[in-house]
Amino acid sequence: HQSGVAALELSASGSLVATASETGTVMKVFRTKDGEALYRLRRSFSTRPAVISSLAFGGPDDCYLAVASSSVTVHIFKLDNAMAADVEEKENASPALEPQPDPKWTGPLSAMQTLQSKAADALRGLTPQLLADLRSFGQFHLPDMDGGQPAVDTRSKQSNIAGPILAFHKTEPRLYILHYNGFLYEISFEPNFDPKATQECSFVSATTWFATRPDFQVPKAITELKTEPGGEGGEADDKADEWQIL
């Protein structure tokens, strides 16, 4: 990482360890036996930083890594051996040769050619690494997060909680997401989905697990996200976006 380590997670078998950078964009997975870096995962290509709140291994042989942060999106990465080999091949590939300037072009254009050459030098070391980073093969956008903030925030003023806590189901391709808004979400994903693409995970249920009132009791799980018309057109606008309500 080019910044400090912000999060660590050890797999249940103890064979893998995952780390996340302080900026929240890159995660790395290492083999504990010899410290070899096996995977480099990129949560986002955005330059906007995010605080990683949870890393979780799951699935057969710890083949999945879920990542939650201060953003509204939870990511699931598939740790596939074939993909890792593809990453290594890209990292070891020779960068493209810079095109040579045409000797016919001289004079005022030489300054532009110099600028282009400097830009090519700057991108040469950056682009292969970005192409080699694995992207998530599953993601879930948390509902009830208007403007990136939940309608209910149960955190204390002294709390350092930045985002959800994650855990995989023991036997099924499902992920639990415990958020500081009080909800425990359960989502599912397709294990055989193309690891080079990104799937939208399916909502299974949501249960209110805690609230800031003394008489609170855990209710029955919500298994369907209700919607209501939204947008500027209101109820009369048939094309208005629907908002998810919990």
Side-chain angles (χ1 to χ4, degrees):
H1 299 293
Q2 295 182 353
S3 61
V5 174
L8 294 167
E9 178 67 13
L10 189 66
S11 65
S13 64
S15 61
L16 300 174
V17 61
T19 65
S21 66
E22 189 176 20
T23 56
T25 54
V26 171
M27 285 68 59
K28 293 183 178 181
V29 177
F30 300 86
R31 187 165 53 205
T32 56
K33 180 175 63 175
D34 53 11
E36 181 181 354
L38 301 178
Y39 304 93
R40 178 184 164 101
L41 318 171
R42 182 167 291 271
R43 184 187 62 82
S44 172
F45 283 90
S46 170
T47 57
R48 180 182 302 175
V51 179
I52 301 299
S53 60
S54 181
L55 300 170
F57 285 100
D61 300 322
D62 300 316
C63 63
Y64 301 114
L65 179 69
V67 180
S69 69
S70 54
S71 74
V72 300
T73 306
V74 174
H75 297 267
I76 301 176
F77 294 87
K78 189 170 186 178
L79 307 180
D80 184 89
N81 291 333
M83 294 292 290
D86 186 46
V87 168
E88 184 176 359
E89 182 179 342
K90 287 180 179 179
E91 288 180 338
N92 295 332
S94 300
L97 294 176
E98 179 184 347
Q100 297 299 316
D102 191 328
K104 293 185 296 183
W105 297 99
T106 56
L109 287 182
S110 60
M112 182 178 294
Q113 290 171 346
T114 301
L115 181 61
Q116 290 174 340
S117 177
K118 290 182 177 180
D121 290 339
L123 290 174
R124 180 178 290 110
L126 176 65
T127 304
Q129 183 63 71
L130 287 176
L131 293 176
D133 292 347
L134 293 183
R135 301 189 65 177
S136 61
F137 100 121
Q139 62 182 18
F140 178 73
H141 301 284
L142 295 168
D144 193 30
M145 294 286 286
D146 186 22
Q149 298 297 325
V152 177
D153 191 337
T154 63
R155 294 175 295 180
S156 69
K157 293 181 179 179
Q158 294 77 27
S159 171
N160 292 323
I161 299 174
I165 302 298
L166 306 174
F168 280 94
H169 191 281
K170 187 175 181 180
T171 58
E172 299 180 14
R174 296 191 177 193
L175 180 69
Y176 297 101
I177 306 169
L178 182 61
H179 198 272
Y180 57 77
N181 63 3
F183 277 101
L184 174 66
Y185 302 100
E186 183 179 356
I187 64 173
S188 64
F189 58 93
E190 174 53 57
N192 297 322
F193 197 83
D194 183 2
K196 296 182 180 180
T198 301
Q199 64 178 301
E200 293 293 335
C201 299
S202 301
F203 171 85
V204 176
S205 67
T207 306
T208 306
W209 268 87
F210 51 91
T212 54
R213 61 178 188 268
D215 60 341
F216 170 75
Q217 293 182 350
V218 177
K220 296 177 66 175
I222 301 170
T223 57
E224 183 177 353
L225 289 177
K226 296 181 180 180
T227 60
E228 68 176 16
E232 297 180 355
E235 296 182 359
D237 188 353
D238 294 336
K239 297 183 179 180
D241 294 335
E242 290 187 336
W243 294 346
Q244 294 177 337
I245 304 297
L246 289 178

